């Protein structure tokens, strides 16, 4: 899978500095495509793969320890304890979004218009909305209109807009895309095999757009007034009009070939393996008792997602603690499971998430029966996605019926199962913050060992946002929000405040 990088003048947006283990350093572009040099069918693959292979990957890599899917083999690692590089804004999602992903989406929109192909315009807008969403969810206020758009001259000191405005832009882009996908186009989306997400199926792209819109409307669960107030019925409707099975999953696949970028980034042969040494203790223990029962009922996905330790059993490393002098063979490696093998897909959004979003909206609407129905469908879909044997899946679903059902369904049940099904998706950090990192919602959740007590002194102090990259601060400090780590890392983003 060759990622076409749109590097040329866009590099000026965030600077060219990059750490030595970056994906970009070992896979630099052989050509420098421009909007005038290629037709849109030759650019769609690059737009998709830069969204997942650079932006989404990097957005997840840096919060891997925050959401406690994985852990390092050493103690006090910066991304697990929210210190060092985390306080200086070095090499996170910002560069990946503004240098690689967003310029490709902008060019796709320009080229779609130029070649009378609104379907490409629509895909560009969907991917643009997706990238804006990931970026604003990690930082808060970001640059939208004044970033590279494929037509305007470069603005090296763009103005930031509020997260509220970003969300309005996201919804507008998605609505426009849904309309444009229903218009005739001169060039098919998969004419040159570039639509690696849906192989040219425009109806699937419409479902994806509606699923993304449901996701972002669901982020507004703390908003109770105004035009951005949480609208459960709108969310439910969008969910029911979007994905209907795992066949709709938005995923990029990998061949497991010789090239690094033909391997899942979090696999042992991928370019991101250094950030995922072991599965975390929190994640492994959750799978051992996901229903939080007095007598644990083990999740049948445990051995599919998590490799068995060399010395037997499934054991995670406590986030922030490292191996602590214990033998590495006692713990489950982060590489080699369903999500972390060379050919494992990267999921942008899956059917299970759609059903869990619907379940949450139904639950908040006071409809426990409908909430449980959607919840159960979400769990079943994930069991099927992972290939859990039918007998084990049936037994697990029966346990859900017995222990949960419409009488006992809770927000915790929904969010725990969503956490499991959204493995390695940065959306999980949104959920954890919306749920206030509550151990009542995520049983057993604790702050990492060796957490940065200088910035997070209280037992209930959790990281809330990312630092803006230092390149942006050096060049555009006049327009940037306050990047003091004591403010940036501890201040909740807009959607996470009551209103």
């Amino acid at each position: 899978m060759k990622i076409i990088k749109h590097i040329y003048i866009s590099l000026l947006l965030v600077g060219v500095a990059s750490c030595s283990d970056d994906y970009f350093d070992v896979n630099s572009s052989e050509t420098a495509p421009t909007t005038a040099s290629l037709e849109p069918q030759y650019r769609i693959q690059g737009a998709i793969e830069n969204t997942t292979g650079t932006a989404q990957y990097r957005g997840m890599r840096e919060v891997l320890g925050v959401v406690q899917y994985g852990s390092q083999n050493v103690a006090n690692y910066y991304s697990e304890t929210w210190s060092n590089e985390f306080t200086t804004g070095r090499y996170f999602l910002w560069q990946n979004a503004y240098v690689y992903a967003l310029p490709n989406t902008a060019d796709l929109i320009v080229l779609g218009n130029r070649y009378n192909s609104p379907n490409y315009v629509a895909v560009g807008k969907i991917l643009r909305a997706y990238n804006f969403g990931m970026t604003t969810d990690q930082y808060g206020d970001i640059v939208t209109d004044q970033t590279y758009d494929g037509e305007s001259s470069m603005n090296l000191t763009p103005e930031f807009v509020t997260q509220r405005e970003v969300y309005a832009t996201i919804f507008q882009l998605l609505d426009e895309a849904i309309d444009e996908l229903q218009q005739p186009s001169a060039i098919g989306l998969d004419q040159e095999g570039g639509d690696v997400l849906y192989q040219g199926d425009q109806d699937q792209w419409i479902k994806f757009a509606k699923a993304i819109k449901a996701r972002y409307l669901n982020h507004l669960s703390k908003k109770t007034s105004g035009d951005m107030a949480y609208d459960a019925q709108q969310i439910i409707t969008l969910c029911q009009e979007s994905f209907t099975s795992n066949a709709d999953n938005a995923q990029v696949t990998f061949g497991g070939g010789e090239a690094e970028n033909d391997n899942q980034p979090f696999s042992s042969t991928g370019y991101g393996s250094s950030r995922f040494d072991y599965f975390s203790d929190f994640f492994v223990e959750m799978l051992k008792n996901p229903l939080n029962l007095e007598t644990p009922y083990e999740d049948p996905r445990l051995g599919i997602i998590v490799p068995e330790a060399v010395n037997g059993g499934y054991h995670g490393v406590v986030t922030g603690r490292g191996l602590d002098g214990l033998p590495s063979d006692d713990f489950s490696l982060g590489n080699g499971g369903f999500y972390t093998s060379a050919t494992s897909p990267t999921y942008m959004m899956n059917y299970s998430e759609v059903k869990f979003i619907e379940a949450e909206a139904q639950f908040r609407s006071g409809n426990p029966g409908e909430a449980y129905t959607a919840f159960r469908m979400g769990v079943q879909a994930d069991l099927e996605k992972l290939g859990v044997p039918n007998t084990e899946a049936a037994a697990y679903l029966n346990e859900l019926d017995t222990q949960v059902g419409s009488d006992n369904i809770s927000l915790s049940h929904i969010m725990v199962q969503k956490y499991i099904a959204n493995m390695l998706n940065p959306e999980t950090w949104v959920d954890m913050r919306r749920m206030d990192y509550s151990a009542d919602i995520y049983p057993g959740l604790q702050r990492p060992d060796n957490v940065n007590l200088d910035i997070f002194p209280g037992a209930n102090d959790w990281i809330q946002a990312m630092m803006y990259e230092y390149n942006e601060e050096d060049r555009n400090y006049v327009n940037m929000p306050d990047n003091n780590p004591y403010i940036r890392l501890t201040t909740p983003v807009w959607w996470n405040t009551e209103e």
Side-chain angles (χ1 to χ4, degrees), residues 363-478:
F363 182 82
R364 292 184 183 277
S365 297
N367 303 320
E370 291 84 350
Y372 181 72
T373 297
F375 163 80
R376 192 183 192 277
M377 292 173 70
V379 176
Q380 182 174 356
D382 199 54
L383 297 174
E384 292 172 354
K385 183 185 78 179
L386 270 67
V388 174
N390 290 338
T391 53
E392 294 181 31
Y396 190 67
L397 292 171
N398 183 66
E399 191 71 12
L400 291 183
D401 292 338
T402 302
Q403 301 292 342
V404 184
S406 59
D407 292 335
N408 296 317
I409 183 73
S410 69
L411 198 54
S412 175
H413 291 124
I414 296 168
M415 300 314 296
V416 164
Q417 292 296 329
K418 188 179 179 186
Y419 176 87
I420 296 169
N422 265 4
M423 175 73 184
L424 293 183
N425 194 309
E427 177 67 10
T428 295
W429 192 29
V430 174
D431 285 339
M432 281 195 157
R433 286 175 288 170
R434 284 197 305 120
M435 300 298 126
D436 301 316
Y437 293 100
S438 171
D440 292 332
I441 300 295
Y442 300 101
L445 180 64
Q446 297 181 6
R447 294 199 310 174
D449 276 20
N450 297 306
V451 72
N452 183 353
L453 295 178
D454 185 37
I455 297 179
F456 306 95
N460 294 320
D461 293 340
W462 290 79
I463 186 169
Q464 298 294 336
M466 285 293 178
M467 297 283 294
Y468 293 109
E469 188 169 317
Y470 74 96
N471 287 317
E472 187 74 25
E473 183 173 24
D474 288 345
R475 188 195 63 256
N476 195 25
Y477 63 91
V478 173

Side-chain angles (χ1 to χ4, degrees), residues 326-391:
L326 298 173
S328 61
D329 287 349
D330 285 353
F331 299 96
S332 295
L333 288 173
N335 308 122
F338 179 87
Y339 294 97
T340 55
S341 295
T343 56
S344 298
T346 289
Y347 292 93
M348 299 176 75
M349 194 157 194
N350 58 65
Y351 174 50
S352 293
E353 181 187 345
V354 170
K355 299 315 292 183
F356 294 133
I357 291 171
E358 181 183 345
E360 180 181 344
Q362 294 281 15
F363 182 82
R364 292 184 183 277
S365 297
N367 303 320
E370 291 84 350
Y372 181 72
T373 297
F375 163 80
R376 192 183 192 277
M377 292 173 70
V379 176
Q380 182 174 356
D382 199 54
L383 297 174
E384 292 172 354
K385 183 185 78 179
L386 270 67
V388 174
N390 290 338
T391 53

Side-chain angles (χ1 to χ4, degrees), residues 136-202:
T136 189
D137 287 342
Q138 294 214 4
Y139 297 98
D141 297 355
I142 63 170
V143 178
T144 54
D145 294 343
Q146 292 188 17
T147 190
Y148 173 78
D149 64 5
E151 295 178 305
S152 304
S153 59
M154 189 61 58
N155 183 351
L156 298 181
T157 56
E159 294 182 3
F160 283 62
V161 299
T162 67
Q163 186 172 72
R164 191 184 194 283
E165 292 173 299
V166 180
Y167 266 58
T169 296
I170 289 170
F171 298 142
Q172 179 181 343
L173 288 169
L174 293 171
D175 288 343
E176 290 173 356
I178 291 168
D179 178 65
E180 287 158 341
L181 281 164
Q182 299 174 74
Q183 299 174 17
S185 295
I187 305 172
L189 287 177
D190 205 35
Q191 183 160 308
E192 294 295 330
D195 184 2
V196 294
L197 210 59
Y198 286 126
Q199 295 72 53
D201 191 327
Q202 294 184 192

